[in-house]
Amino acid sequence: MMRMRKKKHGAERLAAMSHYLLERPDVPMEAPASLFDGGDGVCLEIGCGKGGFACGMAAAHPTVNFIALERVHDVMVIATEQAESRKEERTRDNLRFAVADANDLTAWFAPHTLDAVYLNFSDPWPKARHAKRRLTHRRLLELYFTLIKDGGALFFKTDNRPLFDFTLEELAALGVTPDYVTYDLHASPYNEGNIRTEYEENFSAKGFSINALRLTVHHK
Ligand code: SAH
């Protein structure tokens, strides 16, 4: 696995961006939208990396609030610094970040509190024995569904076809059907309004097509 070189002064740089960072709550948040001044609900990105998607979405959708999770501190430094350098793009203060692990989400959010969950270019964990670590393993998919409100949605995109096919199998095993599936997002009608992530720019520049799906969550 590629490792990021330890960032010089990482802790100080992150502390300087603490106005963007959420603290892990003592009890799961029943109303995460109350962290923000207005807006309609909360969308969550898991594994935001350098943060370009979250910055772009927050700017493009001023009525929505965005929270972006990333578990690696040194990567979060880059994401929050990008948010700071792009703050003029936002007409509302609608973007926050959290250093957090997807596996710990139930400590952050109460059930049925999120409008959408976005997974972008999640680590593929190609070895079969690591399947449980994939962020689209059925155990985690079920967790996201619990957190998403009735009528909310899960979005997933990746260049990695084996991970995408695995994800489709996991969804089928859970008995749910995506609203759409595309193996070439940029050539599809679903590309309208698509905000590209850093990985997405890299992989599409190299000629890889992007797989994407959306699934609307219906609670019984
Ligand atoms: N979404 C970004 C980065 C993709 S790389 C982009 O498309 O450009 C995947 C990112 O997910 C990495 O930054 C990695 O640290 C993060 N990640 C992996 N597992 C995670 C987990 N369990 N919880 C939170 N973030 C995770």
Side-chain angles (χ1 to χ4, degrees):
M1 252 218 151
M2 213 178 76
R3 292 205 148 259
M4 241 180 128
R5 219 168 77 231
K6 189 112 184 86
K7 282 260 153 358
K8 248 191 181 171
H9 313 303
E12 291 92 325
R13 283 169 62 184
L14 199 55
M17 294 296 129
S18 62
H19 48 296
Y20 288 111
L21 291 172
L22 301 178
E23 298 276 353
R24 191 173 184 276
D26 294 327
V27 292
M29 291 184 274
E30 294 283 351
S34 65
L35 295 167
F36 298 89
D37 185 12
D40 304 329
V42 170
C43 296
L44 181 75
E45 185 189 7
I46 301 173
C48 70
K50 294 180 181 175
F53 179 81
C55 290
M57 289 294 280
H61 303 283
T63 64
V64 177
N65 299 306
F66 281 88
I67 300 176
L69 302 192
E70 170 55 53
R71 71 173 173 187
V72 179
H73 280 85
D74 285 351
V75 177
M76 185 57 91
V77 171
I78 309 284
T80 51
E81 287 179 350
Q82 175 170 188
E84 184 70 10
S85 70
R86 295 178 61 181
K87 70 177 171 203
E88 309 302 331
E89 294 176 27
R90 297 188 294 279
T91 53
R92 253 187 75 241
D93 184 18
N94 63 339
L95 177 60
R96 291 290 182 277
F97 295 86
V99 178
D101 192 304
N103 295 289
D104 191 35
L105 269 174
T106 49
W108 286 81
F109 302 100
H112 303 198
T113 53
L114 299 174
D115 291 270
V117 167
Y118 293 89
L119 293 167
N120 298 320
F121 300 82
S122 309
D123 297 333
W125 293 107
K127 292 185 177 134
R129 68 185 154 89
H130 289 151
K132 288 206 167 124
R133 300 185 188 179
R134 297 174 192 152
L135 291 188
T136 56
H137 186 274
R138 66 190 74 176
R139 171 183 52 88
L140 283 171
L141 289 173
E142 281 191 303
L143 173 56
Y144 310 145
F145 296 158
T146 304
L147 300 185
I148 294 170
K149 292 177 188 168
D150 192 45
L154 174 77
F155 294 82
F156 175 53
K157 55 183 173 176
T158 179
D159 62 300
N160 190 288
R161 184 63 187 268
L163 178 65
F164 194 66
D165 289 341
F166 168 82
T167 304
L168 295 175
E169 285 166 23
E170 294 294 273
L171 292 172
L174 292 173
V176 293
T177 311
D179 311 319
Y180 67 74
V181 169
T182 173
Y183 298 95
D184 190 355
L185 173 62
H186 298 167
S188 81
Y190 314 111
N191 192 46
E192 203 186 311
N194 180 48
I195 305 280
R196 296 190 186 201
T197 78
E198 283 86 354
Y199 272 54
E200 187 169 357
E201 290 290 7
N202 284 340
F203 287 120
S204 54
K206 288 179 182 142
F208 293 101
S209 60
I210 307 302
N211 309 286
L213 66 82
R214 184 186 76 199
L215 185 135
T216 300
V217 176
H218 300 290
H219 295 295
K220 276 167 248 163

